[in-house]
Amino acid sequence: MMTDEEIDELLAQIRAQQAEDQLKEEQKKKTEEADDRRSVTPRRRTHRNLILNLLLVFFAAVFIISGVYLFKYYYDSKQNKKLVSSLKEMIEDDGSGSDDPSSPNYKPSNAKVPEFVTVGDRRIQRKFRALYEKNNDFVGWLTVEGTNIDFPVMYTPDQEQKYLRKNFDGDYALAGTLFIAAASDPFKPTTNVIIYGHNMKDGSMFSDLLSYKDESFYQEHKRIRFDTLEGNGTYEVIAAFPGQVLNVGEEGFRYYDFYDAASAEEFDTYISEIKSRCTYQIPTTAEFGDHLITLSTCENSGASEGKRFVVVAKRID
């Protein structure tokens, strides 16, 4: 039989062994956890690096695409300016001069006597012969002196937006070419001839129309020149206002639906409407029987929101 001392010694040995086993178990557990952490960390790092690499590729692609777009945008703009410049050189000098009294080439209206020639079966101004022979869709030239607005105007009533993204030669061009609404008729002419053009970020086409928001700009650019195949025309601005292209069924003022006034009342209603939308007072007005041109462009360099800026002028010569 074991003595009490022997029993106590045995129990102490058992407890020591248990403690040692427990310590080994804890160490083993810590080792396994460390191994687990070492195996998980690379996976996490690999996942994070993959995400970073994908983001890098994405932003690099965006940068490259944006760069290509900007290059093409300004390259096309430069090419279009060169084309317009070459077209302008094709206009023969007819001695009609400028409508601006401050211009050294100014000539009063009674001194302007257009000369005409026959091209095919059409009688046109001699000065536009070369342009018309180059493209029969050409109908005139629009100019606002002292601005960048100095462009040919096209008219294709069977395909109104043919030149929305085409240059004079019919090639693709982001800036397009100024064109007349199909329901207008520059030769009849209708009461109102609507001319559309893009608001380009480089300041070309109809971008300068937005400068008419400033009254001081209007004061210095009251007159617009629109010479057609059949004659020269000087117009004076009577309204400049923000417009909106409305959805089908949406109520509101559709400035782009006014072409011919059937009565003085209809004409006066239109004039009152556009006058009320001006942000400053323009004393010049129009009466039934006057002929108008309406210049329309996108207000925000994009057509998505339907916002437009509109300048209306009446013929004075």
Side-chain angles (χ1 to χ4, degrees), residues 151-171:
F151 298 104
V153 180
M154 317 302 275
Y155 181 50
T156 52
D158 294 332
Q159 189 181 348
E160 181 181 85
Q161 297 189 11
K162 177 179 178 179
Y163 288 92
L164 183 69
R165 296 295 183 190
K166 288 185 177 182
N167 62 21
F168 187 94
D169 292 336
D171 299 323

Side-chain angles (χ1 to χ4, degrees), residues 57-120:
V57 170
F58 172 76
F59 287 117
V62 170
F63 178 79
I64 293 171
I65 292 172
S66 299
V68 170
Y69 173 80
L70 287 173
F71 172 80
K72 180 170 174 50
Y73 184 96
Y74 287 102
Y75 175 80
D76 287 350
S77 172
K78 184 177 181 179
Q79 293 300 109
N80 195 54
K81 287 178 181 178
K82 288 174 62 177
L83 174 61
V84 172
S85 179
S86 67
L87 294 173
K88 192 172 182 180
E89 291 177 357
M90 295 173 66
I91 301 176
E92 299 179 37
D93 182 13
D94 65 350
S96 62
S98 169
D99 295 296
D100 184 358
S102 64
S103 171
N105 297 319
Y106 171 70
K107 282 191 177 182
S109 59
N110 57 12
K112 301 172 185 176
V113 182
E115 297 180 14
F116 291 87
V117 295
T118 300
V119 177

Side-chain angles (χ1 to χ4, degrees), residues 101-299:
S102 64
S103 171
N105 297 319
Y106 171 70
K107 282 191 177 182
S109 59
N110 57 12
K112 301 172 185 176
V113 182
E115 297 180 14
F116 291 87
V117 295
T118 300
V119 177
D121 59 352
R122 184 160 194 174
R123 184 172 179 267
I124 66 171
Q125 286 205 72
R126 177 178 61 82
K127 67 177 182 178
F128 289 141
R129 174 171 51 190
L131 288 175
Y132 183 70
E133 289 176 340
K134 184 177 178 66
N135 189 334
N136 291 168
D137 292 336
F138 168 79
V139 293
W141 198 280
L142 183 78
T143 305
V144 181
E145 292 203 25
T147 75
N148 291 322
I149 299 174
D150 192 18
F151 298 104
V153 180
M154 317 302 275
Y155 181 50
T156 52
D158 294 332
Q159 189 181 348
E160 181 181 85
Q161 297 189 11
K162 177 179 178 179
Y163 288 92
L164 183 69
R165 296 295 183 190
K166 288 185 177 182
N167 62 21
F168 187 94
D169 292 336
D171 299 323
Y172 177 83
L174 190 64
T177 309
L178 303 186
F179 64 92
I180 294 176
S184 296
D185 189 333
F187 304 118
K188 180 183 173 183
T190 47
T191 302
N192 186 27
V193 173
I194 302 176
I195 304 175
Y196 294 108
H198 289 298
N199 169 18
M200 301 301 292
K201 291 183 175 65
D202 65 349
S204 65
M205 306 313 290
F206 268 175
S207 293
D208 278 346
L209 282 188
L210 274 72
S211 296
Y212 279 101
K213 292 181 178 182
D214 186 346
E215 184 176 1
S216 62
F217 183 89
Y218 152 73
Q219 293 291 348
E220 297 175 359
H221 304 86
K222 293 182 178 181
R223 292 190 174 182
I224 297 171
R225 177 84 172 258
F226 182 39
D227 295 347
T228 71
L229 296 174
E230 297 184 355
N232 301 323
T234 302
Y235 296 76
E236 185 168 345
V237 174
I238 63 172
F241 58 93
Q244 180 74 34
V245 175
L246 303 175
N247 297 322
V248 176
E250 185 177 359
E251 294 186 0
F253 177 57
R254 289 175 166 80
Y255 71 90
Y256 45 84
D257 278 349
F258 180 76
Y259 300 105
D260 257 329
S263 65
E265 181 181 3
E266 182 183 354
F267 186 88
D268 292 343
T269 298
Y270 174 78
I271 297 299
S272 296
E273 188 68 46
I274 62 174
K275 284 286 192 181
S276 69
R277 294 173 180 272
C278 295
T279 56
Y280 53 85
Q281 187 174 4
I282 297 179
T284 306
T285 189
E287 299 178 351
F288 183 59
D290 285 336
H291 288 285
L292 311 175
I293 57 171
T294 294
L295 313 182
S296 175
T297 192
C298 298
E299 189 170 6

Side-chain angles (χ1 to χ4, degrees), residues 37 39-51:
R37 283 195 298 271
S39 63
V40 170
T41 299
R43 287 200 299 269
R44 288 178 178 172
R45 287 177 180 170
T46 301
H47 182 67
R48 183 176 62 184
N49 290 339
L50 177 61
I51 293 176

